[in-house]
Amino acid sequence: MLALAALLTALIALIAGCSTGGTATPVAQPERDSGVSVTQDPGAGATDISPTAPVSVTASGGTLQDVALTSESGRAVQGALSPDRRSYTVTEPLGYGATYTWSGTAIGASGDSTPVEGAFTTVDPDSVTSVTTYIADGQEVGIAAPIILKFDAPVADKAAVEKALTVTTTPQTVGSWAWLPDDGGSRVHWRPRDYWTPGTAVHVAGNLYGVDYGDGAYGESDFTLDFTVGRSQIVKADATSHRMQVIRDGATIMDIPVSYGEGNEDRNVTRSGVHVVTEKHEDFLMSNPPYYENVRERWAVRISNNGEFIHANPATTGVQGSANVTNGCINLSLSDAEEYFGTAMYGDPVEVTGTRIDLSAADGDIYDWAIDWSTWQSLSALPGGTDTASAGAAGSSATGTGVTTGTAVPAALPTR
């Protein structure tokens, strides 16, 4: 009995000694999981992102609340929340060389939340390249007018640019892009395989903003261009006949005596081939040093950039219809030149035949119709060119006086 009492007393003392002055150590509780995960595209911390790349945030296992993507200036980028509130997608282009930051919350089924946070940075180009057109928005053109896009700097990745270009026509038109030589920049032309059908409506779209042109250059902006093709007017100019016909919608409306280039030297040979009317002037000072300089000519219609015009020249009236004596232009009487001038439109074809030198790249910007169709297709940056137009919503698509440097209609400005 005494031994049992001593044992109980020792146990009581031991228990008291263990509890006196001690602090209980809490057991770590598992962190409560909200049950929702957030995915960003592009990911947080990403750099050199195209300003037109898809941008979104998605909540898996929950819904989004008060989500926003904000520019450095504090402006909220336009975006749309999906009906189930599980994803948010940016709906406008971003700016170049800018940082964008996410904010908001993802709420799980349990009511717990996960923050939407993180930032990414868009690409900062070494340069941006702009484009102009030779046709103005809303212009009416002749049946041989090519679509010409002139870039203000060389384009290294021509295929990337060409993929971003679309031509839509009503009625369906088969055509192709071709990249032609250009000093100080790049230019690409789209022409139909055959002359345009009169009345064709043409829509050109260039989704060029955000396109990597190569060598550190990117597209400055998107653009659209809309124009229509007018009546069919073709000038038939056979130098051996010393005459010229103007054919409107299949009917000859003028058949007149003219004089072509004398042809005794290469410099005064009127080039054979399909020329294109590019500009016209009631009065024009012409120069061809050392032969003549600042000679005033009337009713001048330019048909190439090598100095070829159809214009009045009273000095050759006596031989018009019987001899070719000019420096390469097509000379008409004053009355015939004025009448023809009134009918001419940008883009009209002038088909010259019967001379010993053909129209070529040496003769200026628009020699498109001097290139046969298969060769033209080979000048596309894409395999096979765009020889087969795909059906569009209202037709088909394939990717003033004077040359009008058109103002392409820009798309909405991106977020800066």
Side-chain angles (χ1 to χ4, degrees):
M1 292 294 293
L2 290 174
L4 180 58
L7 179 60
L8 290 173
T9 301
L11 287 171
I12 292 170
L14 179 62
I15 294 171
C18 288
S19 61
T20 301
T23 302
T25 302
V27 176
Q29 298 294 323
E31 184 177 345
R32 189 167 184 176
D33 188 354
S34 66
V36 59
S37 61
V38 175
T39 302
Q40 299 173 21
D41 184 18
T47 59
D48 293 333
I49 301 302
S50 168
T52 57
V55 176
S56 64
V57 62
T58 303
S60 177
T63 58
L64 296 170
Q65 181 174 302
D66 300 326
V67 174
L69 183 68
T70 307
S71 68
E72 296 172 16
S73 65
R75 179 186 179 278
V77 179
Q78 295 178 15
L81 189 63
S82 65
D84 62 5
R85 304 182 66 84
R86 294 183 181 275
S87 64
Y88 181 90
T89 304
V90 168
T91 57
E92 66 173 322
L94 305 179
Y96 284 125
T99 298
Y100 294 89
T101 304
W102 286 108
S103 62
T105 306
I107 308 297
S110 65
D112 293 329
S113 63
T114 296
V116 176
E117 55 190 0
F120 64 89
T121 303
T122 55
V123 65
D124 189 8
D126 293 337
S127 62
V128 292
T129 301
S130 63
V131 63
T132 55
T133 68
Y134 277 43
I135 298 174
D137 204 53
Q139 187 174 351
E140 186 179 64
V141 303
I143 59 173
I147 301 166
I148 301 176
L149 303 182
K150 174 71 171 68
F151 297 88
D152 67 354
V155 173
D157 193 344
K158 293 178 173 61
V161 171
E162 193 172 325
K163 287 177 183 177
L165 302 174
T166 302
V167 177
T168 305
T169 67
T170 306
Q172 182 172 350
T173 304
V174 176
S176 178
W177 291 105
W179 292 85
L180 302 179
D182 189 83
D183 295 331
S186 287
R187 61 189 175 106
V188 62
H189 295 205
W190 194 97
R191 55 153 267 219
R193 181 181 57 196
D194 306 303
Y195 291 153
W196 294 104
T197 299
T200 298
V202 183
H203 175 75
V204 186
N207 297 320
L208 298 174
Y209 180 73
V211 173
D212 184 350
Y213 285 24
D215 293 341
Y218 282 75
E220 182 184 52
S221 63
D222 294 343
F223 77 91
T224 60
L225 170 65
D226 291 274
F227 65 92
T228 57
V229 179
R231 79 289 179 271
S232 170
Q233 179 162 299
I234 302 171
V235 170
K236 298 284 188 178
D238 180 7
T240 63
S241 72
H242 314 300
R243 299 189 69 83
M244 184 184 95
Q245 291 80 37
V246 180
I247 301 171
R248 171 79 64 85
D249 296 324
T252 301
I253 62 172
M254 295 184 71
D255 187 345
I256 53 178
V258 302
S259 182
Y260 296 89
E262 185 175 3
N264 60 323
E265 300 179 40
D266 288 354
R267 68 169 185 84
N268 62 19
V269 174
T270 306
R271 285 0 186 196
S272 285
V274 179
H275 299 62
V276 177
V277 170
T278 55
E279 59 182 305
K280 60 183 188 178
H281 307 272
E282 291 186 17
D283 287 278
F284 194 74
L285 293 177
M286 294 188 182
S287 297
N288 187 7
Y291 307 101
Y292 58 88
E293 192 165 357
N294 291 329
V295 175
R296 178 177 179 246
E297 302 290 3
R298 297 277 290 159
W299 312 114
V301 177
R302 184 188 289 274
I303 60 173
S304 78
N305 275 358
N306 69 358
E308 291 174 305
F309 285 80
I310 301 173
H311 67 90
N313 189 347
T316 65
T317 301
V319 297
Q320 290 170 12
S322 60
N324 294 329
V325 299
T326 80
N327 280 281
C329 292
I330 303 175
N331 283 184
L332 288 66
S333 70
L334 273 170
S335 59
D336 286 342
E338 183 178 5
E339 182 180 354
Y340 168 66
F341 182 93
T343 73
M345 177 187 294
Y346 176 87
D348 285 343
V350 176
E351 300 176 352
V352 178
T353 56
T355 71
R356 61 183 176 83
I357 299 178
D358 290 336
L359 185 74
S360 69
D363 297 304
D365 291 343
I366 304 180
Y367 56 94
D368 302 36
W369 298 97
I371 303 173
D372 66 84
W373 179 241
S374 61
T375 302
W376 182 266
Q377 289 177 292
S378 73
L379 298 176
S380 166
L382 301 177
T386 50
D387 57 323
T388 303
S390 58
S396 67
S397 62
T399 296
T401 61
V403 173
T404 304
T405 302
T407 303
V409 178
L413 293 176
T415 302
R416 296 300 181 191

